[in-house]
């Protein structure tokens, strides 16, 4: 197995908003509120367009060979260019199967815009068969390809009306679901300097996603029940060996 399960957390790109909307000396909180108000007037929702999001955390489960690891990219004070660069560097180095929940609808488009903004090259990610024939019919960009598995999209049969939340699907399968905070808490937490909590929340999200992915792979016959159970026990063992309180809490919430 060679897969990278990923999730990102974002905040409003107040630097761009301040410049683009000529908001002068307003604070970041005031700029973000102005951006959201303008979006509300325009579309009826405060949720900003994806190009107006700034990445503050990228977390991952990497399952490769005999190893499993769960972590957030970069140090806690890493800036956005470093986080985005590290994400695409991992693809460049390992060519993993990417696994996400709504990654096709949110995470990857945001990462596209941020890579564009910071001038980050990602040739393997953008490969569609011009240099490697194997990528022609199976690449990271094709919605119906398998180098990126957007579990939310696939499980819904690519039908928007059938989509479910990660929290509810993970809980339905007996996993902890959302843990510590929710996406709506990220911007307030970021303003308070609680980056560690944001990273921890993101890490538990990718754990839920990976566990759902194991059930999905068993359902479609890629792994059998024995392999699935072995992988689940691998996750439990990894969490039990961790000294991080949020991983201990996740394992405790998981129960038996």
């Amino acid at each position: 197995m060679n897969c990278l399960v990923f999730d990102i957390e974002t905040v409003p790109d107040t630097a761009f908003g301040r410049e683009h909307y000529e908001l002068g000396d307003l604070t970041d909180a005031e700029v973000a509120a102005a951006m959201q108000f303008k979006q509300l007037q325009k579309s009826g929702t405060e949720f900003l367009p994806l190009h107006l999001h700034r990445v503050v955390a990228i977390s991952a489960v990497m399952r490769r060979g005999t190893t499993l690891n769960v972590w957030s990219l970069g140090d806690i004070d890493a800036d956005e260019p470093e986080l985005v660069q590290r994400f695409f560097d991992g693809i460049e180095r390992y060519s993993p199967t990417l696994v996400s929940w709504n990654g096709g609808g949110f995470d990857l488009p945001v990462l596209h815009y941020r890579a564009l903004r910071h001038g980050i090259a990602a040739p393997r990610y953008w490969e569609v068969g011009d240099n490697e024939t194997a990528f022609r019919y199976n690449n990271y960009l094709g919605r119906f390809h398998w180098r990126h598995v957007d579990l939310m999209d696939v499980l819904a049969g690519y039908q928007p009306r059938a989509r479910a939340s990660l929290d509810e699907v993970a809980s339905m399968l007996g996993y902890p679901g959302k843990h510590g905070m929710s996406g709506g808490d990220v911007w307030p937490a970021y303003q308070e300097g609680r980056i560690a909590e944001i990273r921890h929340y993101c890490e538990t999200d990718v754990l839920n996603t990976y566990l759902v992915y194991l059930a999905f792979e068993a359902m479609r016959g890629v792994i059998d029940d024995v392999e699935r159970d072995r992988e689940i026990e691998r996750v439990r063992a990894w969490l039990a060996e961790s000294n991080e309180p949020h991983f201990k809490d996740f394992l405790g919430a998981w129960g038996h």
Side-chain angles (χ1 to χ4, degrees), residues 55-224:
V55 177
V56 295
I58 305 177
S59 297
V61 171
M62 184 72 176
R63 178 70 177 90
R64 185 171 183 269
T66 60
T67 63
L68 172 76
N69 196 19
V70 187
W71 82 108
S72 291
L73 279 60
D75 295 330
I76 197 167
D77 58 352
D79 61 13
E80 183 184 51
E82 180 181 347
L83 297 180
V84 177
Q85 182 73 69
R86 283 176 177 266
F87 175 79
F88 286 111
D89 282 351
I91 296 173
E92 201 72 22
R93 181 176 180 182
Y94 297 112
S95 297
T97 296
L98 293 179
V99 181
S100 70
W101 192 274
N102 195 30
F106 181 76
D107 304 67
L108 287 177
V110 170
L111 288 165
H112 297 170
Y113 286 120
R114 307 319 288 179
L116 188 70
R117 178 169 174 79
H118 298 301
I120 294 169
R124 193 156 191 81
Y125 173 80
W126 292 101
E127 176 65 58
V128 292
D130 294 332
N131 298 305
E132 291 192 46
T133 305
F135 281 73
R136 184 167 301 165
Y137 303 108
N138 186 24
N139 54 65
Y140 290 114
L141 302 174
R143 186 182 188 188
F144 306 110
H145 295 182
W146 293 101
R147 286 190 189 270
H148 170 225
V149 181
D150 180 341
L151 286 167
M152 187 185 80
D153 201 24
V154 172
L155 288 169
Y158 307 102
Q159 301 298 316
R161 291 174 57 187
R163 290 173 182 166
S165 71
L166 174 61
D167 181 40
E168 292 187 356
V169 173
S171 298
M172 180 181 73
L173 296 178
Y175 304 129
K178 289 288 183 181
H179 208 68
M181 62 172 68
S182 66
D185 299 322
V186 171
W187 174 231
Y190 180 79
Q191 293 177 85
E192 295 169 4
R194 292 155 50 203
I195 303 299
E197 290 182 44
I198 295 171
R199 287 160 64 98
H200 294 168
Y201 159 64
C202 199
E203 288 164 8
T204 58
D205 256 10
V206 291
L207 278 166
N208 278 305
T209 305
Y210 181 56
L211 291 167
V212 174
Y213 177 63
L214 292 176
F216 173 70
E217 290 291 84
M219 180 176 68
R220 70 188 189 108
V222 175
I223 59 176
D224 60 26

